[in-house]
Amino acid sequence: MASFGHVAVGLAAGRAAPHPARVAWMALFSTLSLLPDADVIAFKLGIPYAAPFGHRGATHSIAFAALCGGVAWLARRERWLPALTFLVVLSHPLLDMLTDGGLGCALFWPVTSERLFWPIRPIPVAPIGAGLLSPRGLVVVVTELVAFLPLVVFALWPRASRPSLPGAPRP
């Protein structure tokens, strides 16, 4: 994916966060939604794509999402933070499994390193790096913009203000 879809998930999660600092939560969850792709550093380290720690390997697993949720639990800022962190990080491989290219995601690593896709794969895989600035990259970006626009609209749509009792603090 070109990452627009991942960021849209993070924005929507931030909107759903029951906290007044929604913009900060949107930024945090958008970053967390992209975190599994930090594994692209494996290319620079000479780790093959198909290796367990290669691209779409261990960082694209349920175990990695659970680890991220565990770190959020240790932070103990908010009770809902570990679950939302887990779901946002897990959304990344689940969306990548909808793409039409690559080797799939090692969703069940470390139990198995088998790479998986969903039975339907409607999202074109994004070219890595500068290839995103190609005609193929434009097709990927436009596809993601259309597919994930509802999440972005949900995330950015102004909230209706609720009437409050006289003298009550405003949210």
Side-chain angles (χ1 to χ4, degrees), residues 57 60-63 90 93-94 97 105-109 112 114 116:
H60 285 64
S61 68
I62 296 169
L90 182 60
L94 296 178
M97 289 167 56
C105 295
L107 190 64
F108 297 110
W109 177 91
T112 178
E114 180 183 5
L116 305 170

Side-chain angles (χ1 to χ4, degrees), residues 3-17 21-34 84 88 91 145 148-157 159:
S3 298
F4 182 79
H6 299 308
V7 171
V9 168
L11 291 173
R15 165 72 183 250
R22 284 190 175 75
V23 172
W25 288 112
M26 286 178 174
L28 173 67
F29 287 123
S30 292
T31 301
L32 286 171
S33 71
L34 296 170
L84 205 48
V88 166
S91 73
L145 284 170
F148 292 98
L149 190 59
L151 278 180
V152 174
V153 169
F154 165 75
L156 302 179
W157 197 264
R159 286 186 177 253

